[in-house]
PDB file of all heavy atoms in Angstrom:
ATOM      1  N   HIS A  16      90.891 115.418 115.379  1.00  0.00           N
ATOM      2  CA  HIS A  16      92.276 115.462 115.836  1.00  0.00           C
ATOM      3  C   HIS A  16      93.233 115.380 114.650  1.00  0.00           C
ATOM      4  O   HIS A  16      94.232 116.122 114.589  1.00  0.00           O
ATOM      5  CB  HIS A  16      92.535 114.312 116.817  1.00  0.00           C
ATOM      6  CG  HIS A  16      93.969 114.215 117.243  1.00  0.00           C
ATOM      7  ND1 HIS A  16      94.548 115.097 118.125  1.00  0.00           N
ATOM      8  CD2 HIS A  16      94.960 113.344 116.898  1.00  0.00           C
ATOM      9  CE1 HIS A  16      95.804 114.779 118.319  1.00  0.00           C
ATOM     10  NE2 HIS A  16      96.082 113.716 117.583  1.00  0.00           N
ATOM     11  N   ALA A  21      97.190 117.989 111.116  1.00  0.00           N
ATOM     12  CA  ALA A  21      97.560 118.354 109.742  1.00  0.00           C
ATOM     13  C   ALA A  21      97.721 119.865 109.604  1.00  0.00           C
ATOM     14  O   ALA A  21      98.684 120.358 109.008  1.00  0.00           O
ATOM     15  CB  ALA A  21      96.529 117.838 108.747  1.00  0.00           C
ATOM     16  N   GLU A  40      98.370 110.207 102.331  1.00  0.00           N
ATOM     17  CA  GLU A  40      97.119 109.535 101.967  1.00  0.00           C
ATOM     18  C   GLU A  40      96.179 109.426 103.167  1.00  0.00           C
ATOM     19  O   GLU A  40      96.629 109.184 104.295  1.00  0.00           O
ATOM     20  CB  GLU A  40      97.447 108.142 101.441  1.00  0.00           C
ATOM     21  CG  GLU A  40      96.260 107.345 100.923  1.00  0.00           C
ATOM     22  CD  GLU A  40      96.656 105.975 100.417  1.00  0.00           C
ATOM     23  OE1 GLU A  40      97.707 105.437 100.852  1.00  0.00           O
ATOM     24  OE2 GLU A  40      95.923 105.424  99.581  1.00  0.00           O
ATOM     25  N   VAL A  42      94.595 111.553 104.989  1.00  0.00           N
ATOM     26  CA  VAL A  42      95.095 112.413 106.044  1.00  0.00           C
ATOM     27  C   VAL A  42      94.047 112.632 107.142  1.00  0.00           C
ATOM     28  O   VAL A  42      94.397 112.795 108.324  1.00  0.00           O
ATOM     29  CB  VAL A  42      95.574 113.758 105.465  1.00  0.00           C
ATOM     30  CG1 VAL A  42      94.432 114.496 104.789  1.00  0.00           C
ATOM     31  CG2 VAL A  42      96.191 114.626 106.530  1.00  0.00           C
ATOM     32  N   PRO A  86      81.247 106.096  92.437  1.00  0.00           N
ATOM     33  CA  PRO A  86      80.267 105.852  91.372  1.00  0.00           C
ATOM     34  C   PRO A  86      79.040 105.083  91.810  1.00  0.00           C
ATOM     35  O   PRO A  86      78.052 105.015  91.083  1.00  0.00           O
ATOM     36  CB  PRO A  86      81.077 105.027  90.349  1.00  0.00           C
ATOM     37  CG  PRO A  86      82.077 104.288  91.213  1.00  0.00           C
ATOM     38  CD  PRO A  86      82.436 105.249  92.307  1.00  0.00           C
ATOM     39  N   ARG A  90      81.207 102.005  96.888  1.00  0.00           N
ATOM     40  CA  ARG A  90      82.587 102.389  96.625  1.00  0.00           C
ATOM     41  C   ARG A  90      82.755 103.919  96.593  1.00  0.00           C
ATOM     42  O   ARG A  90      81.896 104.640  96.109  1.00  0.00           O
ATOM     43  CB  ARG A  90      83.074 101.808  95.297  1.00  0.00           C
ATOM     44  CG  ARG A  90      83.146 100.280  95.255  1.00  0.00           C
ATOM     45  CD  ARG A  90      83.646  99.817  93.911  1.00  0.00           C
ATOM     46  NE  ARG A  90      82.760 100.251  92.827  1.00  0.00           N
ATOM     47  CZ  ARG A  90      83.075 100.194  91.536  1.00  0.00           C
ATOM     48  NH1 ARG A  90      84.266  99.762  91.167  1.00  0.00           N
ATOM     49  NH2 ARG A  90      82.213 100.585  90.619  1.00  0.00           N
ATOM     50  N   PHE A  98      95.502 122.673  96.341  1.00  0.00           N
ATOM     51  CA  PHE A  98      94.978 124.040  96.468  1.00  0.00           C
ATOM     52  C   PHE A  98      96.073 125.083  96.240  1.00  0.00           C
ATOM     53  O   PHE A  98      97.202 124.937  96.731  1.00  0.00           O
ATOM     54  CB  PHE A  98      94.357 124.246  97.846  1.00  0.00           C
ATOM     55  CG  PHE A  98      93.153 123.381  98.083  1.00  0.00           C
ATOM     56  CD1 PHE A  98      93.282 122.177  98.759  1.00  0.00           C
ATOM     57  CD2 PHE A  98      91.916 123.746  97.600  1.00  0.00           C
ATOM     58  CE1 PHE A  98      92.180 121.348  98.969  1.00  0.00           C
ATOM     59  CE2 PHE A  98      90.805 122.928  97.803  1.00  0.00           C
ATOM     60  CZ  PHE A  98      90.949 121.732  98.482  1.00  0.00           C
ATOM     61  N   PRO A 100      97.623 129.045  96.709  1.00  0.00           N
ATOM     62  CA  PRO A 100      97.724 129.901  97.903  1.00  0.00           C
ATOM     63  C   PRO A 100      96.531 130.806  98.135  1.00  0.00           C
ATOM     64  O   PRO A 100      96.365 131.321  99.245  1.00  0.00           O
ATOM     65  CB  PRO A 100      99.010 130.709  97.639  1.00  0.00           C
ATOM     66  CG  PRO A 100      99.805 129.847  96.737  1.00  0.00           C
ATOM     67  CD  PRO A 100      98.820 129.166  95.859  1.00  0.00           C
ATOM     68  N   ASP A 101      95.695 131.005  97.131  1.00  0.00           N
ATOM     69  CA  ASP A 101      94.475 131.793  97.348  1.00  0.00           C
ATOM     70  C   ASP A 101      93.288 130.923  97.752  1.00  0.00           C
ATOM     71  O   ASP A 101      92.176 131.409  97.913  1.00  0.00           O
ATOM     72  CB  ASP A 101      94.121 132.626  96.112  1.00  0.00           C
ATOM     73  CG  ASP A 101      93.771 131.766  94.900  1.00  0.00           C
ATOM     74  OD1 ASP A 101      93.765 130.518  95.008  1.00  0.00           O
ATOM     75  OD2 ASP A 101      93.502 132.349  93.816  1.00  0.00           O
ATOM     76  N   ILE A 111      94.511 105.550  90.707  1.00  0.00           N
ATOM     77  CA  ILE A 111      94.237 104.623  89.608  1.00  0.00           C
ATOM     78  C   ILE A 111      94.455 103.176  90.028  1.00  0.00           C
ATOM     79  O   ILE A 111      93.642 102.309  89.757  1.00  0.00           O
ATOM     80  CB  ILE A 111      95.117 104.982  88.395  1.00  0.00           C
ATOM     81  CG1 ILE A 111      94.685 106.330  87.805  1.00  0.00           C
ATOM     82  CG2 ILE A 111      95.055 103.889  87.332  1.00  0.00           C
ATOM     83  CD1 ILE A 111      95.596 106.848  86.703  1.00  0.00           C
ATOM     84  N   GLU A 126      91.587  96.832  98.552  1.00  0.00           N
ATOM     85  CA  GLU A 126      91.086  98.200  98.418  1.00  0.00           C
ATOM     86  C   GLU A 126      89.932  98.295  97.431  1.00  0.00           C
ATOM     87  O   GLU A 126      89.028  99.096  97.604  1.00  0.00           O
ATOM     88  CB  GLU A 126      92.233  99.130  97.980  1.00  0.00           C
ATOM     89  CG  GLU A 126      91.855 100.597  98.025  1.00  0.00           C
ATOM     90  CD  GLU A 126      92.995 101.533  97.699  1.00  0.00           C
ATOM     91  OE1 GLU A 126      94.022 101.074  97.137  1.00  0.00           O
ATOM     92  OE2 GLU A 126      92.873 102.738  98.008  1.00  0.00           O
ATOM     93  N   ASN A 142     103.307 126.843  90.963  1.00  0.00           N
ATOM     94  CA  ASN A 142     104.264 127.930  90.737  1.00  0.00           C
ATOM     95  C   ASN A 142     104.967 127.775  89.383  1.00  0.00           C
ATOM     96  O   ASN A 142     106.199 127.912  89.283  1.00  0.00           O
ATOM     97  CB  ASN A 142     105.289 128.003  91.862  1.00  0.00           C
ATOM     98  CG  ASN A 142     104.763 128.760  93.070  1.00  0.00           C
ATOM     99  OD1 ASN A 142     103.613 129.203  93.091  1.00  0.00           O
ATOM    100  ND2 ASN A 142     105.597 128.907  94.084  1.00  0.00           N
ATOM    101  N   PRO A 145     105.508 122.097  86.262  1.00  0.00           N
ATOM    102  CA  PRO A 145     104.608 120.975  85.995  1.00  0.00           C
ATOM    103  C   PRO A 145     104.791 119.863  87.037  1.00  0.00           C
ATOM    104  O   PRO A 145     105.909 119.406  87.272  1.00  0.00           O
ATOM    105  CB  PRO A 145     105.000 120.490  84.599  1.00  0.00           C
ATOM    106  CG  PRO A 145     105.708 121.654  83.973  1.00  0.00           C
ATOM    107  CD  PRO A 145     106.411 122.345  85.108  1.00  0.00           C
ATOM    108  N   LEU A 159     102.794 104.766  84.807  1.00  0.00           N
ATOM    109  CA  LEU A 159     102.064 105.987  85.168  1.00  0.00           C
ATOM    110  C   LEU A 159     103.026 107.169  85.268  1.00  0.00           C
ATOM    111  O   LEU A 159     102.765 108.251  84.724  1.00  0.00           O
ATOM    112  CB  LEU A 159     101.329 105.807  86.484  1.00  0.00           C
ATOM    113  CG  LEU A 159     100.720 107.089  87.085  1.00  0.00           C
ATOM    114  CD1 LEU A 159      99.689 107.689  86.140  1.00  0.00           C
ATOM    115  CD2 LEU A 159     100.119 106.838  88.456  1.00  0.00           C
ATOM    116  N   ALA A 166     104.379 113.981  79.822  1.00  0.00           N
ATOM    117  CA  ALA A 166     103.431 115.095  79.776  1.00  0.00           C
ATOM    118  C   ALA A 166     104.042 116.384  80.320  1.00  0.00           C
ATOM    119  O   ALA A 166     103.359 117.415  80.348  1.00  0.00           O
ATOM    120  CB  ALA A 166     102.178 114.748  80.553  1.00  0.00           C
ATOM    121  N   ILE A 170     108.107 117.548  88.834  1.00  0.00           N
ATOM    122  CA  ILE A 170     107.906 117.111  90.209  1.00  0.00           C
ATOM    123  C   ILE A 170     106.875 115.991  90.200  1.00  0.00           C
ATOM    124  O   ILE A 170     105.872 116.077  89.478  1.00  0.00           O
ATOM    125  CB  ILE A 170     107.405 118.261  91.096  1.00  0.00           C
ATOM    126  CG1 ILE A 170     108.443 119.394  91.185  1.00  0.00           C
ATOM    127  CG2 ILE A 170     107.049 117.773  92.499  1.00  0.00           C
ATOM    128  CD1 ILE A 170     107.940 120.644  91.890  1.00  0.00           C
ATOM    129  N   ALA A 176     100.163 105.736 102.475  1.00  0.00           N
ATOM    130  CA  ALA A 176     100.050 105.032 103.760  1.00  0.00           C
ATOM    131  C   ALA A 176     100.689 103.665 103.514  1.00  0.00           C
ATOM    132  O   ALA A 176     100.019 102.638 103.514  1.00  0.00           O
ATOM    133  CB  ALA A 176      98.595 104.921 104.198  1.00  0.00           C
ATOM    134  N   LEU A 190     110.814 104.905  95.252  1.00  0.00           N
ATOM    135  CA  LEU A 190     110.799 106.363  95.112  1.00  0.00           C
ATOM    136  C   LEU A 190     112.036 106.845  94.370  1.00  0.00           C
ATOM    137  O   LEU A 190     111.932 107.702  93.463  1.00  0.00           O
ATOM    138  CB  LEU A 190     110.733 107.025  96.486  1.00  0.00           C
ATOM    139  CG  LEU A 190     109.408 106.872  97.239  1.00  0.00           C
ATOM    140  CD1 LEU A 190     109.581 107.380  98.670  1.00  0.00           C
ATOM    141  CD2 LEU A 190     108.276 107.640  96.548  1.00  0.00           C
ATOM    142  N   TYR A 200     112.027 115.527  90.460  1.00  0.00           N
ATOM    143  CA  TYR A 200     111.983 115.541  91.912  1.00  0.00           C
ATOM    144  C   TYR A 200     110.783 114.723  92.373  1.00  0.00           C
ATOM    145  O   TYR A 200     109.733 114.742  91.733  1.00  0.00           O
ATOM    146  CB  TYR A 200     111.858 116.971  92.445  1.00  0.00           C
ATOM    147  CG  TYR A 200     113.147 117.748  92.389  1.00  0.00           C
ATOM    148  CD1 TYR A 200     113.416 118.610  91.326  1.00  0.00           C
ATOM    149  CD2 TYR A 200     114.092 117.619  93.406  1.00  0.00           C
ATOM    150  CE1 TYR A 200     114.610 119.331  91.280  1.00  0.00           C
ATOM    151  CE2 TYR A 200     115.288 118.332  93.366  1.00  0.00           C
ATOM    152  CZ  TYR A 200     115.543 119.175  92.288  1.00  0.00           C
ATOM    153  OH  TYR A 200     116.722 119.875  92.252  1.00  0.00           O
ATOM    154  N   ASP A 209     101.239 102.947 114.102  1.00  0.00           N
ATOM    155  CA  ASP A 209     100.103 102.031 114.184  1.00  0.00           C
ATOM    156  C   ASP A 209      98.795 102.760 113.917  1.00  0.00           C
ATOM    157  O   ASP A 209      98.596 103.895 114.315  1.00  0.00           O
ATOM    158  CB  ASP A 209     100.042 101.402 115.577  1.00  0.00           C
ATOM    159  CG  ASP A 209     101.242 100.512 115.847  1.00  0.00           C
ATOM    160  OD1 ASP A 209     101.830 100.008 114.881  1.00  0.00           O
ATOM    161  OD2 ASP A 209     101.589 100.338 117.029  1.00  0.00           O
ATOM    162  N   GLY A 218     106.135 105.168 107.179  1.00  0.00           N
ATOM    163  CA  GLY A 218     106.640 106.531 107.331  1.00  0.00           C
ATOM    164  C   GLY A 218     107.807 106.809 106.407  1.00  0.00           C
ATOM    165  O   GLY A 218     107.755 106.545 105.221  1.00  0.00           O
ATOM    166  N   LEU A 259     115.303 110.691  78.986  1.00  0.00           N
ATOM    167  CA  LEU A 259     113.922 110.921  78.525  1.00  0.00           C
ATOM    168  C   LEU A 259     113.876 111.187  77.044  1.00  0.00           C
ATOM    169  O   LEU A 259     113.031 110.653  76.317  1.00  0.00           O
ATOM    170  CB  LEU A 259     113.296 112.089  79.297  1.00  0.00           C
ATOM    171  CG  LEU A 259     112.795 111.811  80.710  1.00  0.00           C
ATOM    172  CD1 LEU A 259     112.275 113.115  81.339  1.00  0.00           C
ATOM    173  CD2 LEU A 259     111.673 110.777  80.695  1.00  0.00           C
ATOM    174  N   ASN A 261     116.057 110.217  74.865  1.00  0.00           N
ATOM    175  CA  ASN A 261     116.601 109.079  74.126  1.00  0.00           C
ATOM    176  C   ASN A 261     115.680 107.864  74.096  1.00  0.00           C
ATOM    177  O   ASN A 261     116.016 106.864  73.460  1.00  0.00           O
ATOM    178  CB  ASN A 261     117.946 108.639  74.731  1.00  0.00           C
ATOM    179  CG  ASN A 261     119.034 109.659  74.498  1.00  0.00           C
ATOM    180  OD1 ASN A 261     118.906 110.525  73.669  1.00  0.00           O
ATOM    181  ND2 ASN A 261     120.118 109.547  75.264  1.00  0.00           N
ATOM    182  N   ARG A 263     113.028 105.033  73.270  1.00  0.00           N
ATOM    183  CA  ARG A 263     112.606 104.490  71.969  1.00  0.00           C
ATOM    184  C   ARG A 263     111.200 103.904  72.029  1.00  0.00           C
ATOM    185  O   ARG A 263     110.600 103.618  70.989  1.00  0.00           O
ATOM    186  CB  ARG A 263     113.604 103.395  71.530  1.00  0.00           C
ATOM    187  CG  ARG A 263     115.012 103.904  71.310  1.00  0.00           C
ATOM    188  CD  ARG A 263     115.169 104.723  70.056  1.00  0.00           C
ATOM    189  NE  ARG A 263     114.872 103.948  68.860  1.00  0.00           N
ATOM    190  CZ  ARG A 263     115.760 103.139  68.234  1.00  0.00           C
ATOM    191  NH1 ARG A 263     116.988 103.045  68.713  1.00  0.00           N
ATOM    192  NH2 ARG A 263     115.409 102.462  67.160  1.00  0.00           N
TER     193      ARG A 263
END
Side-chain angles (χ1 to χ4, degrees):
H16 176 73
E40 183 180 25
V42 61
R90 295 181 299 167
F98 296 97
D101 64 2
I111 292 174
E126 189 176 16
N142 278 2
L159 170 61
I170 297 172
L190 290 170
Y200 283 97
D209 295 335
L259 281 177
N261 291 344
R263 298 286 298 276

